[in-house]
Amino acid sequence: LDSASARHRASQELVIKVTAPMSAGISASGFGEDAGRSACYLHRSSRPSEASAESSSVQQEVKDVVGASHVGHVRESAVDVRVLPSGHHIVPPDSGSHISIHDIDATFIWLSASWMPIPARSVGFVIGPLRFLEDPEYAREHSHKGAEVSHEGFRHVYLAPMFLRKFLHTRADTTLLQTDSIDFGPLQRRQIKTLEELDQSVVGTSSGVPHRSLTLMKDVLAIPAFRTTSYTQFWIPAASHGGSSSGALHSCPEVLSNTFLGGTIMDSELLPPAGQSLPYYAGGRVLQFMQARNAVRSWIMAAIPLAGNDDTGQGYLHSLIESFILSTYQRGHGAFGQGGSRESSFFTERYARTSGLNSPHLDFLPIQNIEETDFDMVVGSVAGAIPVEDRNNDQLWRSTKNGTESHTSSSDEFNVRQLVCRDIINTLERGTDKDKMVPTPSMGWNGSHLSLSFLSSNAAASTDLGCGALELVHPIGGLVYRRLKSDVLSCIVEARAGIANFIRLIRATFIAAYLGDVGKAELDYPKPSSSSTTTSGTPKSSGEADYHDGAKPRFIDCVNQILKKGGLTHTLFTRALQNLSGRIREAHLLGTLVDVDRNSRDPRNNKPFVDPEGFPNSYVKGASQLHLKVGVHVEPSRDSSGSGISKGIQMQTFAEPVIPEGGIAFGGPVTIRIVENEGQLREFVKEIAIDGSRRDWGTVTLHAKPVTLPKAQMSASGIIETSLAKETPQANAGSESSSSKGLLETKSVSRGAFTESGLHKSGYQAIELIRLTNLTPLLWVRVDPSHQFAGQIAISQPDACLAEQLFYDGDASAQVESLRSLAERPFRIQGSVKITSVHDVPISELPVRVLGDCLRASSAAHSSLPHTPAVRAHAALAIAQWQNIQAPKSKDISAASNWIGLYLLIQYFKERYFNKGTIVPIKYTRTVLKKNIDASQAGAASEAGNHGSKNSEDDSYIYLDSFDDKDDRVSACAEADEIEIEEDEEYRVRSAVIAAIASIRAKDGKTPDVAIEFLETVLDTGDTDSTKNFVFPDEATSNSNALL
């Protein structure tokens, strides 16, 4: 019964007895709050022909041990595996007490239980030739016998190879055989090596991953009663999912898994080949997060009951809680080197020390359930204006902990993936509008309107549908959509209610479920004494809350309400969130809780309802996201008396929602962030009209100094106003590429103001050039920076503002948004219409030049922080988009001025991956040296080209390839305290560059010859190593030796 109702929860006990030939090595394991109890007995075969040869006393002893009913069942269903076709002669064994392995059966008995009431869907088990591996990290930290007695631990299980199966039960009880032991010949050396490689493939992928996810979940929830110290992962080939739901995309590992309490079954075909490992961002991260998600999901499905009419399976409430807990995991363990133990491929000492609860991105933990003082306030004249949280302060401008050139921090990776997730949801929901016969995932369903999982059997009342009822299966895939939609909704709830309040609500849900399981009807909370002292006689602190009679803390009231309902419901979730958040966030959590049918009409005018239902209905079942166009215009402010005298500079802003066909309108307060020159930042709360109309957000006076003065701009232009008419864009077109043959072997084309390597001849960076076009104090503008709407917001602002946001906003999602906006440029610059070039660079080329500097990891003139690979990969795709917009009419037009973006991409590839006439193979690893050095040595290393090192207290990490001289590398290795191997993420950018070049087209839809010949060169000159997708154990050693 796939139900999450409290009425369908009970304590479970499961006993499995399986009898099979000893040579098959069959055993059993499965669900439970611990690993369960097991025993294995060897005895003579239970086949009737063999059983008749046994004495009655031995037969009775077998029945007493394994059970008479089980023995009878085995004998009735037994098949003699030794029966051979006629004509074969079986040589009888020698006389004596020797027993053939073919005459021995093994009866494996496994017992497990869950004292906590759980639904039937949280019970699962596996039977097969299982090889059990203890997690090395957990075994090392819990080496005491207490863990063995309580049957705790983390285990990784896979199907044993054929040559090992007869050895699996060598330690079984041989009492029933009346012999002391059974001796087998040793494994061959080749078999031992194969077994070690298989073990390493499983342990290297799994060790420490479920342990960290469950530990972090326990710390986030702050509920020590949960037994999260036992977990088993089963790796079985082609075990995609067990049919609990339908409509899933084929081979989607993050959703197609079988989870149950205390374990999960996953597809072993996702593991790397024996002796190898997957690059982190080319399969490794998927494996890590699949394991973490399943570990968290198993407890959520088992521990949280649902009430009301959405109690079947994983409704959106289950998925929402899962997505939030996984979002905290992504912040703490979402980058390379942070997610596993020392024995896994997901561990690096350098990054592991600042992961998990030590991560600065989880500094909001711990969170108190009951605050000393509940603040309900109104900021300014608008209720619900949410101030900037402390955890976001480091993202207003870039800081040193946002990553290095070759490493993406967990914060940057999380923010970029949130943006991509919203893009995918928008594509799924709006991408089928070309075909009216294909419904969008949020339209046309037959189940509950308040469930993200309407595409499977998990979206309605179990009492109404019964067991196994299925709903509409969408052709796109239901489980994938549910997971992505839940991730977006979790981000919205977190932004609107706050992380602390969201965590309190999840804690209240778990606590209420626990109290309900033990028979409690209410959470007892003692009323505080009215005296000035506590019950222990000590003076009451000034921070203790003094609640009046009958009034309880909001958290306690939330727990009691969930207990009263028997589980969490949609209405209770929304109201509890509003209650815990207080008046400061009230305006962001308002909305009707009435589930209005999509086909319902307003009786007053007989028209469909178009007004938004508000939070959370519009975001749960809405067929679209918020689509908002924002226009920003900066101009001199004039005296209101009409004198025409300038009174400074002001910014005018307009906002207009766009409602797609079949979509709904979104409205409410939204935050606009204005960043000015000289470090000034202000935030205002504006209103989005709920009727979809255009809204004037008024003017804002800018008080800072302009970024560039008109005199400096005219000086940079190098021309006078009277000669502007003679200036043409072709003046700086440069020479044409007469032939692209030998594209990578020849020198690059020198174009006007730029050298053959693509650098400005005067040393200017693109950010410096484009800054000269900004005559205003405005740096950039962001709307909804905390993603309270998580929609598609297009802001029309000058190119210089987008460049400033790209290089100086610390939020990686803001950087990617600016990349996408620059890819659609150029715009006519504001306040400066009299110039066409800056330092001999045409204004129209500045956006792509900025994108090129981002791709090449160029830092700002006064900063040493290049963009991370996650952002630079998007920069390559943005260059391709810009090039396609500016492409000539035909691919035969080969002038270099018409293919600037294409040549920038090729120039980057040539700089990084081309050497001595051949393409350098992909390098997945990078050697880093750790050494305690003083400031003078650190400065010398930095001058040697080490842009990737970061100093943390007295420790310094230096990349080995930053030293050019071989003797220096040998000396550095000798003096290093530690030598570590970490992943070089440049392969992410390399892949994006090749994809970007391959996607470039002329206006006629054809690929230019330069791009085709480039791709041919990559395929022809690249060796087999350049296409591999695995990291071999000796690769790190070979790379280090090559450098030395």
Side-chain angles (χ1 to χ4, degrees):
L1 181 64
D2 189 13
S3 172
S5 173
R7 300 186 299 272
H8 302 146
R9 293 163 55 86
S11 298
Q12 306 283 346
E13 183 178 7
L14 181 64
V15 179
I16 295 179
K17 299 179 181 179
V18 54
T19 299
M22 179 185 176
S23 58
I26 303 299
S27 59
S29 185
F31 92 105
E33 297 182 13
D34 55 26
R37 309 296 190 270
S38 62
C40 184
Y41 300 93
L42 301 181
H43 52 85
R44 287 185 178 272
S45 175
S46 299
R47 293 183 294 274
S49 59
E50 298 292 339
S52 60
E54 291 182 325
S55 63
S56 58
S57 60
V58 175
Q59 294 182 21
Q60 185 61 41
E61 188 175 0
V62 173
K63 293 180 180 179
D64 294 340
V65 174
V66 302
S69 60
H70 180 73
V71 172
H73 173 73
V74 170
R75 288 181 177 178
E76 293 176 359
S77 58
V79 177
D80 194 342
V81 297
R82 297 186 307 163
V83 175
L84 300 177
S86 60
H88 291 78
H89 176 69
I90 300 178
V91 178
D94 296 334
S95 59
S97 59
H98 297 287
I99 303 176
S100 172
I101 188 175
H102 300 290
D103 299 328
I104 301 177
D105 280 355
T107 296
F108 192 90
I109 304 175
W110 177 74
L111 167 66
S112 183
S114 172
W115 295 268
M116 178 185 72
I118 60 175
R121 62 192 179 131
S122 294
V123 178
F125 60 89
V126 175
I127 298 176
L130 307 178
R131 174 168 173 79
F132 294 85
L133 302 175
E134 297 292 334
D135 193 302
E137 181 185 50
Y138 191 88
R140 181 174 59 252
E141 297 179 358
H142 302 79
S143 58
H144 53 83
K145 294 185 178 181
E148 299 179 1
V149 173
S150 60
H151 295 265
E152 297 176 352
F154 287 77
R155 302 185 301 173
H156 312 288
V157 184
Y158 68 96
L159 300 184
M162 293 294 296
F163 63 81
L164 183 67
R165 294 180 181 180
K166 67 179 181 180
F167 296 92
L168 295 179
H169 294 320
T170 54
R171 297 184 180 180
D173 193 320
T174 59
T175 303
L176 299 178
L177 284 177
Q178 298 180 349
T179 182
D180 295 335
S181 62
I182 301 177
D183 297 329
F184 294 97
L187 291 173
Q188 300 178 9
R189 185 175 303 176
R190 176 180 56 84
Q191 294 175 336
I192 295 176
K193 181 180 179 181
T194 301
L195 190 61
E196 291 176 349
E197 291 178 346
L198 291 174
D199 291 349
Q200 178 58 34
S201 178
V202 175
V203 173
T205 305
S206 306
S207 179
V209 177
H211 187 198
R212 279 160 174 74
S213 61
L214 290 175
T215 301
L216 183 60
M217 182 187 73
K218 191 173 181 179
D219 291 330
V220 170
L221 298 179
I223 304 177
F226 279 172
R227 294 170 57 86
T228 58
T229 56
S230 179
Y231 189 77
T232 305
Q233 290 190 151
F234 299 90
W235 296 94
I236 299 178
S240 56
H241 78 109
S244 62
S245 54
S246 57
L249 289 175
H250 176 66
S251 299
C252 188
E254 293 203 38
V255 296
L256 295 182
S257 297
N258 305 267
T259 57
F260 45 81
L261 179 63
T264 188
I265 302 173
M266 292 174 291
D267 187 0
S268 62
E269 295 178 357
L270 299 173
L271 294 171
Q276 304 172 25
S277 61
L278 292 174
Y280 188 69
Y281 292 101
R285 192 178 190 275
V286 173
L287 276 175
Q288 175 188 333
F289 276 78
M290 178 186 67
Q291 299 174 73
R293 182 178 294 274
N294 288 326
V296 171
R297 179 183 295 174
S298 63
W299 267 101
I300 293 176
M301 292 177 61
I304 298 182
L306 298 181
N309 293 324
D310 287 299
D311 60 2
T312 303
Q314 272 202 100
Y316 89 92
L317 294 174
H318 277 145
S319 299
L320 180 63
I321 295 174
E322 173 189 315
S323 294
F324 174 75
I325 295 179
L326 260 294
S327 71
T328 61
Y329 178 84
Q330 290 185 59
R331 293 180 177 99
H333 298 288
F336 165 75
Q338 298 180 349
S341 67
R342 293 180 179 273
E343 291 78 11
S344 75
S345 58
F346 303 130
F347 177 87
T348 300
E349 179 72 27
R350 178 181 182 184
Y351 302 115
R353 64 179 61 186
T354 57
S355 64
L357 291 179
N358 295 326
S359 172
H361 311 305
L362 296 181
D363 56 3
F364 51 83
L365 295 173
I367 291 175
Q368 297 181 357
N369 293 330
I370 302 176
E371 298 285 355
E372 296 180 351
T373 305
D374 290 328
F375 292 99
D376 283 335
M377 59 178 152
V378 177
V379 180
S381 59
V382 181
I386 302 177
V388 180
E389 297 188 34
D390 293 338
R391 65 184 183 87
N392 286 331
N393 287 340
D394 62 331
Q395 294 186 355
L396 299 181
W397 288 277
R398 302 185 63 200
S399 59
T400 55
K401 64 182 179 181
N402 281 18
T404 65
E405 178 184 351
S406 62
H407 179 75
T408 302
S409 68
S410 59
S411 176
D412 287 352
E413 190 69 29
F414 173 74
N415 292 331
V416 171
R417 287 181 178 269
Q418 283 287 333
L419 179 62
V420 175
C421 182
R422 296 196 295 270
D423 294 337
I424 298 174
I425 287 294
N426 184 66
T427 302
L428 291 178
E429 293 181 334
R430 312 307 322 163
T432 57
D433 56 352
K434 299 282 190 303
D435 188 353
K436 300 300 181 183
M437 300 302 294
V438 179
T440 59
S442 297
M443 300 174 63
W445 62 89
N446 298 322
S448 170
H449 299 282
L450 296 177
S451 177
L452 291 173
S453 56
F454 56 82
L455 302 177
S456 63
S457 60
N458 305 329
S462 57
T463 53
D464 296 336
L465 294 179
C467 178
L470 295 179
E471 295 185 48
L472 171 70
V473 179
H474 192 273
I476 293 179
L479 292 179
V480 179
Y481 175 77
R482 182 184 67 187
R483 181 231 154 170
L484 296 173
K485 188 83 170 182
S486 298
D487 289 348
V488 174
L489 182 59
S490 173
C491 177
I492 294 173
V493 175
E494 176 185 320
R496 289 175 172 262
I499 292 180
N501 298 317
F502 198 5
I503 290 179
R504 291 190 186 102
L505 177 55
I506 297 176
R507 289 177 180 175
T509 304
F510 275 90
I511 292 175
Y514 173 78
L515 294 177
D517 292 338
V518 299
K520 291 283 187 179
E522 186 179 13
L523 177 59
D524 298 330
Y525 186 77
K527 296 180 180 180
S529 174
S530 58
S531 62
S532 59
T533 59
T534 62
T535 55
S536 60
T538 59
K540 186 184 298 185
S541 63
S542 58
E544 291 190 32
D546 188 9
Y547 301 102
H548 299 287
D549 293 339
K552 294 182 179 180
R554 296 172 177 175
F555 179 80
I556 304 298
D557 182 66
C558 179
V559 174
N560 290 335
Q561 289 295 326
I562 299 175
L563 275 172
K564 183 179 179 180
K565 289 289 185 181
L568 192 62
T569 65
H570 167 76
T571 304
L572 186 56
F573 166 78
T574 305
R575 291 178 177 172
L577 202 61
Q578 294 173 353
N579 186 27
L580 291 172
S581 301
R583 289 186 60 198
I584 187 175
R585 300 178 184 269
E586 181 180 4
H588 298 273
L589 301 173
L590 294 179
T592 175
L593 300 181
V594 179
D595 190 4
V596 181
D597 189 89
R598 180 171 298 279
N599 298 323
S600 299
R601 292 181 174 269
D602 191 341
R604 297 168 295 182
N605 51 23
N606 196 29
K607 292 183 179 180
F609 289 101
V610 295
D611 290 344
E613 300 174 61
F615 178 86
N617 290 20
S618 295
Y619 303 93
V620 173
K621 65 178 186 178
S624 66
Q625 300 171 291
L626 169 67
H627 293 256
L628 183 67
K629 296 190 299 183
V630 179
V632 176
H633 183 72
V634 182
E635 60 184 2
S637 59
R638 302 297 178 180
D639 189 0
S640 58
S641 61
S643 61
I645 301 176
S646 177
K647 295 293 184 180
I649 300 177
Q650 65 182 11
M651 186 188 76
Q652 185 78 18
T653 310
F654 294 89
E656 181 179 2
V658 178
I659 304 177
E661 181 181 356
I664 61 176
F666 292 85
V670 65
T671 303
I672 177 173
R673 176 180 296 170
I674 302 174
V675 182
E676 300 181 47
N677 195 18
E678 300 175 326
Q680 297 189 30
L681 180 143
R682 289 180 289 173
E683 289 190 346
F684 302 90
V685 176
K686 302 297 181 180
E687 195 78 14
I688 299 178
I690 62 174
D691 57 358
S693 61
R694 180 179 178 180
R695 181 65 61 91
D696 183 0
W697 283 353
T699 61
V700 176
T701 302
L702 305 179
H703 303 288
K705 295 181 180 179
V707 176
T708 302
L709 297 177
K711 183 178 180 180
Q713 185 184 92
M714 295 301 297
S715 175
S717 67
I719 55 176
I720 59 175
E721 299 179 16
T722 56
S723 63
L724 285 178
K726 300 180 182 179
E727 185 73 19
T728 59
Q730 287 75 15
N732 293 314
S735 60
E736 296 182 359
S737 177
S738 58
S739 175
S740 55
K741 184 178 180 180
L743 181 65
L744 294 177
E745 290 84 349
T746 58
K747 295 183 179 180
S748 299
V749 180
S750 177
R751 294 194 60 252
F754 293 93
T755 63
E756 295 178 352
S757 60
L759 301 177
H760 195 276
K761 293 181 178 179
S762 299
Y764 291 105
Q765 292 181 330
I767 181 66
E768 298 176 281
L769 298 176
I770 203 169
R771 188 177 291 146
L772 292 171
T773 67
N774 190 2
L775 298 177
T776 71
L778 179 65
L779 293 186
W780 71 84
V781 175
R782 287 195 69 190
V783 177
D784 192 24
S786 58
H787 308 296
Q788 298 170 23
F789 289 90
Q792 304 290 330
I793 302 177
I795 306 177
S796 176
Q797 54 184 324
D799 300 346
C801 296
L802 297 173
E804 298 281 0
Q805 178 178 336
L806 172 60
F807 277 89
Y808 294 105
D809 195 321
D811 188 350
S813 63
Q815 298 170 16
V816 175
E817 288 174 353
S818 62
L819 285 172
R820 295 177 175 180
S821 298
L822 286 170
E824 300 176 359
R825 294 310 193 254
F827 273 8
R828 186 178 182 182
I829 60 176
Q830 299 180 8
S832 178
V833 297
K834 297 182 179 181
I835 66 172
T836 58
S837 65
V838 178
H839 288 294
D840 298 329
V841 181
I843 297 296
S844 59
E845 289 187 16
L846 289 179
V848 74
R849 295 294 178 180
V850 172
L851 297 177
D853 281 0
C854 176
L855 172 64
R856 299 172 69 175
S858 299
S859 306
H862 58 281
S863 174
S864 59
L865 290 172
H867 291 86
T868 59
V871 176
R872 291 166 51 220
H874 283 269
L877 302 177
I879 293 176
Q881 181 181 354
W882 183 93
Q883 180 61 78
N884 288 335
I885 295 176
Q886 306 296 327
K889 295 182 179 180
S890 173
K891 71 179 186 66
D892 297 328
I893 302 177
S894 59
S897 59
N898 294 316
W899 302 103
I900 300 176
L902 175 58
Y903 280 105
L904 285 176
L905 293 171
I906 294 177
Q907 177 64 30
Y908 166 82
F909 194 91
K910 176 181 177 181
E911 291 175 351
R912 299 276 182 142
Y913 311 113
F914 192 77
N915 184 27
K916 296 180 180 179
T918 184
I919 294 179
V920 179
I922 296 177
K923 184 180 67 172
Y924 288 109
T925 59
R926 198 174 186 186
T927 305
V928 61
L929 311 178
K930 178 184 177 183
K931 186 177 183 295
N932 297 330
I933 60 176
D934 54 26
S936 59
Q937 291 175 311
S942 177
E943 292 177 0
N946 178 28
H947 299 292
S949 63
K950 292 191 299 183
N951 294 328
S952 176
E953 296 179 355
D954 294 333
D955 295 337
S956 176
Y957 290 90
I958 304 176
Y959 288 116
L960 182 61
D961 55 16
S962 63
F963 297 94
D964 296 330
D965 186 72
K966 180 179 179 180
D967 295 336
D968 293 341
R969 292 194 292 268
V970 173
S971 176
C973 291
E975 297 176 359
D977 297 332
E978 296 180 12
I979 300 178
E980 297 180 0
I981 306 297
E982 65 182 46
E983 186 165 292
D984 186 3
E985 296 181 28
E986 283 299 311
Y987 66 87
R988 304 176 67 185
V989 187
R990 172 177 176 151
S991 176
V993 168
I994 296 177
I997 295 175
S999 64
I1000 291 178
R1001 302 288 187 275
K1003 294 298 183 182
D1004 58 4
K1006 297 181 179 180
T1007 304
D1009 295 337
V1010 175
I1012 293 177
E1013 295 184 7
F1014 167 81
L1015 297 175
E1016 290 177 349
T1017 305
V1018 172
L1019 295 176
D1020 293 339
T1021 63
D1023 55 19
T1024 56
D1025 290 337
S1026 64
T1027 58
K1028 67 184 178 66
N1029 195 35
F1030 303 105
V1031 180
F1032 291 84
D1034 57 348
E1035 177 178 330
T1037 304
S1038 61
N1039 289 340
S1040 300
N1041 293 336
L1043 289 173
L1044 296 177

